Amino acid sequence: MATPTPRQPTPRHKLLGRLSLPERRFVANALRTETVGGVLLLVAAIAALMWANIPAVSASFDAVRSFHIGPAALGLDLSLQHWAADGLLAVFFFVAGIELKRELVAGDLRDPKAAALPVIAAICGMAVPALVYLLVSTLGNGSTAGWAVPTATDIAFALAVLAVIGTSLPSALRAFLLTLAVVDDLFAILIIAVFFTSDLNFAALGGAVAGLVLFWFLLRAGVRGWYVYVPLALVTWGLMYNSGVHATIAGVAMGLMLRCTRQDGEEHSPGEHIEHLVRPLSAGLAVPLFALFSAGVSLSDESIAQVFTRPETLGVVLGLVVGKAVGIFGGTWLAARFTRAELNEDLAWPDVLAVASLAGIGFTVSLLIGELAFAGDEVLTDEVKAAVLIGSLIAAIIASVMLKLRDRKYRALTEAEERDEDRDGIPDIYEQENPDYHLRMARIHEEKAAEHRRRAEAVALARDSDAAPAAGEAAGGSSARADRPA
């Protein structure tokens, strides 16, 4: 009777596993720009708070952000604050649209198995903060209009925190945070489009849709030239603004239309090329200017106390600090449990909790949704903005402490990911299955061993040559003493 062949266990899917080399390079380049933008965003937020809270200049802050400019005949006579929120943030959402398209066709979201984790984590990371807000607000007899405020994650601000505390996350955690933010942006866009659309102007909406169709047709026809697309984008944006749909939706739609897959002979796809050009404008100008005009709220003792006593503002703080961490961590754990995935052996569940806490930094989109949710109540709008700032600060402090506790481990992992001993431009960790790599390393080590043998022989020869004269002198001295009369 034949002995049955033992059944091999099916390898389990890795949770937060190592990225492919192209994906790792893309994530590194994207996050490098976002980090610089995040630092500028942090500086702009601090400047806005100082401008709004120093008595000598606070009046000028209100005057500047309320200053109106633009053609009234086109329905675009807007304050600078509205230009920042509706105009500049359209650039931010345009980049978000390109990021989402790339993730869907060439990134982690292309593979349903790989996409399951960030999508589930992002959905839970938005649902739980919304539930926390609704629970706190309902129990306190507050308004439920701000349920969406604590649902957003600000990737740039989160990266600025990492830059300030000097912590480098391993690439798997950085990619997880970036993909979370991309999916988060997608749902934030849907929330804005569905729940914060005012009375529709169907003529303007039809014009905006026609502009988007023309934009898509020109892209598919291979028409090139910024002088074609920029004026068309501006007209489409203006029509979208006047339609009653939030104008940033136009930016997202145009970003999603760009081709993000490479064809033969292309080093970069059109989407990647345009993103490379526009991302610095978004991260370095559009978002910091929005922060400058939106983050300037009064932070007196009374207003800070109000944040922790008023149900709407307390719901925002708890949603960001508790809801985000619990939602993302819980969603990740559930994804691992039900897909039978194993966490990357280089990481631990506290690392996931730290990143989940870092995602509680909800700044740009949270401020925007706060303005939309409480548009008719200026006092409550400012209090909700203060809650966003305070909640994001608390989340940043908690995440910083947790990340610092693991900083030595992260640095070791990052160094291992970047080590390139054979200097071929590819990190060694990606070449372990390549025989040529091991042959190159063997030659390198043989050359090093030969060099060390030469040095050892030279040191021994020098030691022997130094010892010979000393021995001669000692022998001569002994002879002289022997010949000396007693």
Side-chain angles (χ1 to χ4, degrees):
M1 182 175 179
T3 303
T5 303
R7 189 175 180 179
Q8 296 296 325
T10 303
R12 299 179 71 179
H13 174 63
K14 287 290 182 185
L15 201 67
L16 300 179
R18 186 188 308 151
L19 303 178
S20 65
L21 185 58
E23 187 68 11
R24 182 181 180 276
R25 286 172 171 167
F26 172 80
V27 169
N29 291 333
L31 294 187
R32 191 176 298 114
T33 305
E34 290 288 359
T35 301
V36 174
V39 173
L40 294 175
L41 177 62
L42 183 60
V43 171
I46 294 172
L49 290 171
M50 293 177 63
W51 195 1
N53 286 277
I54 296 176
V57 295
S58 59
S60 66
F61 177 75
D62 290 328
V64 170
R65 70 175 179 175
S66 300
F67 180 77
H68 277 64
I69 188 172
L74 300 178
L76 297 175
D77 182 19
L78 310 177
S79 66
L80 291 181
Q81 184 177 4
H82 275 97
W83 274 113
D86 294 279
L88 292 178
L89 279 194
V91 179
F92 166 79
F93 279 106
F94 174 69
V95 174
I98 300 175
E99 288 178 340
L100 178 61
K101 178 67 173 291
R102 188 202 164 275
E103 288 291 330
L104 289 171
V105 300
D108 285 346
L109 299 182
R110 178 184 74 246
D111 179 9
K113 288 184 179 179
L117 172 62
V119 170
I120 292 172
I123 290 174
C124 293
M126 299 186 80
V128 176
L131 291 174
V132 169
Y133 177 91
L134 289 172
L135 179 63
V136 173
S137 188
T138 301
L139 292 177
N141 295 320
S143 171
T144 59
W147 63 270
V149 174
T151 61
T153 294
D154 195 312
I155 182 67
F157 219 131
L159 293 173
V161 170
L162 292 178
V164 169
I165 66 175
T167 295
S168 178
L169 289 179
S171 60
L173 288 179
R174 283 180 285 164
F176 179 56
L177 183 61
L178 178 62
T179 310
L180 264 180
V182 170
V183 179
D184 200 296
D185 286 341
L186 168 64
F187 286 106
I189 292 160
L190 293 175
I191 288 172
I192 292 172
V194 174
F195 295 98
F196 297 105
T197 295
S198 55
D199 295 335
L200 291 177
N201 180 331
F202 288 100
L205 181 60
V209 171
L212 291 173
V213 171
L214 180 58
F215 188 88
W216 179 87
F217 177 78
L218 292 174
L219 287 173
R220 294 301 173 272
V223 176
R224 298 189 176 187
W226 64 268
Y227 46 84
V228 174
Y229 291 102
V230 172
L232 177 59
L234 291 174
V235 171
T236 303
W237 173 87
L239 289 167
M240 188 69 76
Y241 177 83
N242 282 286
S243 72
V245 178
H246 200 271
T248 54
I249 304 301
V252 176
M254 286 184 277
L256 286 171
M257 290 180 187
L258 293 175
R259 177 169 59 83
C260 293
T261 53
R262 300 177 189 179
Q263 295 179 348
D264 293 340
E266 287 185 337
E267 185 177 354
H268 302 288
S269 68
E272 291 172 322
H273 176 67
I274 293 173
E275 181 188 12
H276 179 73
L277 294 175
V278 179
R279 185 187 286 275
L281 175 64
S282 169
L285 181 65
V287 176
L289 279 178
F290 169 76
L292 182 66
F293 290 119
S294 294
V297 294
S298 174
L299 292 179
S300 62
D301 294 341
E302 182 179 351
S303 63
I304 293 175
Q306 192 84 341
V307 166
F308 294 99
T309 55
R310 186 159 186 164
E312 295 90 346
T313 51
L314 181 60
V316 169
V317 172
L318 292 178
L320 289 171
V321 176
V322 179
K324 271 289 182 183
V326 172
I328 293 174
F329 181 83
T332 306
W333 184 85
L334 288 173
R337 173 85 181 214
F338 289 104
T339 60
R340 296 184 177 274
E342 289 181 344
L343 186 65
N344 183 352
E345 60 272 9
D346 292 330
L347 302 173
W349 284 107
D351 300 320
V352 179
L353 182 59
V355 172
S357 298
L358 189 66
I361 301 174
F363 189 77
T364 305
V365 179
S366 290
L367 291 176
L368 174 62
I369 294 177
E371 291 180 356
L372 297 173
F374 301 104
D377 190 337
E378 187 174 342
V379 174
L380 183 54
T381 298
D382 283 347
E383 291 176 352
V384 167
K385 287 182 179 181
V388 170
L389 296 175
I390 292 172
S392 298
L393 177 61
I394 295 172
I397 292 172
I398 294 173
S400 297
V401 172
M402 297 178 70
L403 292 169
K404 270 301 185 182
L405 292 175
R406 297 275 288 169
D407 188 52
R408 183 177 298 178
K409 177 70 172 177
Y410 294 155
R411 289 187 185 279
L413 290 173
T414 302
E415 289 173 5
E417 290 177 354
E418 295 175 352
R419 189 176 297 120
D420 183 16
E421 290 190 46
D422 61 343
R423 299 181 181 179
D424 66 343
I426 300 175
D428 297 338
I429 201 169
Y430 289 96
E431 296 193 282
Q432 297 305 307
E433 305 300 324
N434 182 3
D436 292 338
Y437 161 76
H438 293 289
L439 292 175
R440 285 196 302 271
M441 290 304 301
R443 286 194 296 270
I444 290 171
H445 287 302
E446 287 166 1
E447 290 171 1
K448 287 182 178 179
E451 176 63 24
H452 283 295
R453 279 193 291 270
R454 284 194 296 270
R455 290 186 182 184
E457 292 170 358
V459 170
L461 184 61
R463 185 180 298 165
D464 291 342
S465 62
D466 289 341
E473 290 175 4
S478 300
S479 176
R481 282 194 297 271
D483 293 342
R484 187 180 303 161

